Short mmCIF file of all heavy atoms in Angstrom, two decimals:
data_model
loop_
_atom_site.label_atom_id
_atom_site.label_comp_id
_atom_site.label_asym_id
_atom_site.label_seq_id
_atom_site.Cartn_x
_atom_site.Cartn_y
_atom_site.Cartn_z
N GLY A 497 -177.79 -37.50 144.96
CA GLY A 497 -178.95 -36.63 145.19
C GLY A 497 -178.61 -35.19 144.88
O GLY A 497 -177.58 -34.94 144.25
N PRO A 498 -179.45 -34.25 145.29
CA PRO A 498 -180.70 -34.48 146.00
C PRO A 498 -181.79 -35.12 145.13
O PRO A 498 -181.65 -35.17 143.90
CB PRO A 498 -181.12 -33.06 146.42
CG PRO A 498 -180.52 -32.18 145.37
CD PRO A 498 -179.22 -32.83 144.99
N TYR A 499 -182.83 -35.59 145.80
CA TYR A 499 -183.92 -36.27 145.11
C TYR A 499 -185.25 -35.58 145.42
O TYR A 499 -185.40 -34.93 146.44
CB TYR A 499 -184.04 -37.72 145.59
CG TYR A 499 -182.74 -38.49 145.54
CD1 TYR A 499 -181.98 -38.65 146.69
CD2 TYR A 499 -182.28 -39.04 144.35
CE1 TYR A 499 -180.78 -39.36 146.65
CE2 TYR A 499 -181.08 -39.74 144.31
CZ TYR A 499 -180.33 -39.89 145.47
OH TYR A 499 -179.15 -40.58 145.42
N THR A 500 -186.21 -35.79 144.52
CA THR A 500 -187.58 -35.34 144.80
C THR A 500 -188.29 -36.45 145.59
O THR A 500 -187.71 -37.52 145.83
CB THR A 500 -188.37 -35.11 143.50
OG1 THR A 500 -188.59 -36.38 142.86
CG2 THR A 500 -187.62 -34.18 142.55
N ALA A 501 -189.56 -36.21 145.93
CA ALA A 501 -190.32 -37.23 146.67
C ALA A 501 -190.54 -38.49 145.84
O ALA A 501 -190.93 -39.53 146.36
CB ALA A 501 -191.66 -36.66 147.12
N MET A 502 -190.31 -38.42 144.54
CA MET A 502 -190.41 -39.61 143.68
C MET A 502 -189.13 -40.44 143.78
O MET A 502 -189.06 -41.52 143.21
CB MET A 502 -190.62 -39.22 142.21
CG MET A 502 -191.89 -38.45 141.93
SD MET A 502 -193.39 -39.38 142.23
CE MET A 502 -193.45 -40.50 140.83
N GLY A 503 -188.09 -39.88 144.42
CA GLY A 503 -186.80 -40.55 144.44
C GLY A 503 -185.98 -40.25 143.19
O GLY A 503 -184.93 -40.85 142.97
N TRP A 504 -186.44 -39.31 142.38
CA TRP A 504 -185.71 -38.96 141.16
C TRP A 504 -184.63 -37.94 141.49
O TRP A 504 -184.87 -36.98 142.24
CB TRP A 504 -186.66 -38.36 140.11
CG TRP A 504 -187.79 -39.27 139.72
CD1 TRP A 504 -187.87 -40.63 139.92
CD2 TRP A 504 -189.01 -38.90 139.07
NE1 TRP A 504 -189.06 -41.11 139.44
CE2 TRP A 504 -189.78 -40.08 138.91
CE3 TRP A 504 -189.52 -37.69 138.60
CZ2 TRP A 504 -191.03 -40.09 138.30
CZ3 TRP A 504 -190.77 -37.70 138.00
CH2 TRP A 504 -191.51 -38.88 137.85
N ASN A 505 -183.47 -38.11 140.90
CA ASN A 505 -182.37 -37.17 141.15
C ASN A 505 -182.66 -35.82 140.49
O ASN A 505 -183.27 -35.76 139.42
CB ASN A 505 -181.03 -37.73 140.65
CG ASN A 505 -180.99 -37.83 139.15
OD1 ASN A 505 -181.88 -38.40 138.54
ND2 ASN A 505 -179.95 -37.30 138.53
N ILE A 506 -182.20 -34.77 141.17
CA ILE A 506 -182.44 -33.42 140.65
C ILE A 506 -181.19 -32.99 139.90
O ILE A 506 -180.13 -32.80 140.51
CB ILE A 506 -182.75 -32.45 141.81
CG1 ILE A 506 -184.01 -32.94 142.55
CG2 ILE A 506 -182.92 -31.02 141.30
CD1 ILE A 506 -184.39 -32.12 143.77
N GLU A 507 -181.30 -32.87 138.58
CA GLU A 507 -180.12 -32.54 137.79
C GLU A 507 -180.46 -31.60 136.64
O GLU A 507 -180.68 -32.02 135.50
CB GLU A 507 -179.48 -33.82 137.25
CG GLU A 507 -177.97 -33.76 137.40
CD GLU A 507 -177.26 -34.04 136.10
OE1 GLU A 507 -176.99 -35.20 135.81
OE2 GLU A 507 -176.94 -33.07 135.37
N PRO A 508 -180.53 -30.31 136.94
CA PRO A 508 -180.92 -29.33 135.91
C PRO A 508 -180.02 -29.35 134.69
O PRO A 508 -180.48 -29.06 133.58
CB PRO A 508 -180.81 -27.98 136.64
CG PRO A 508 -180.69 -28.29 138.09
CD PRO A 508 -180.26 -29.70 138.25
N GLN A 509 -178.76 -29.70 134.87
CA GLN A 509 -177.85 -29.72 133.73
C GLN A 509 -178.36 -30.67 132.64
O GLN A 509 -178.15 -30.46 131.45
CB GLN A 509 -176.45 -30.16 134.19
CG GLN A 509 -175.38 -30.12 133.10
CD GLN A 509 -175.16 -28.74 132.51
OE1 GLN A 509 -175.15 -27.75 133.24
NE2 GLN A 509 -175.01 -28.65 131.19
N GLY A 510 -179.07 -31.74 133.07
CA GLY A 510 -179.63 -32.69 132.10
C GLY A 510 -180.60 -32.00 131.16
O GLY A 510 -180.70 -32.36 129.97
#
Side-chain angles (χ1 to χ4, degrees):
Y499 309 99
T500 68
M502 299 295 285
W504 302 342
N505 68 309
I506 300 177
E507 223 233 272
Q509 184 61 41

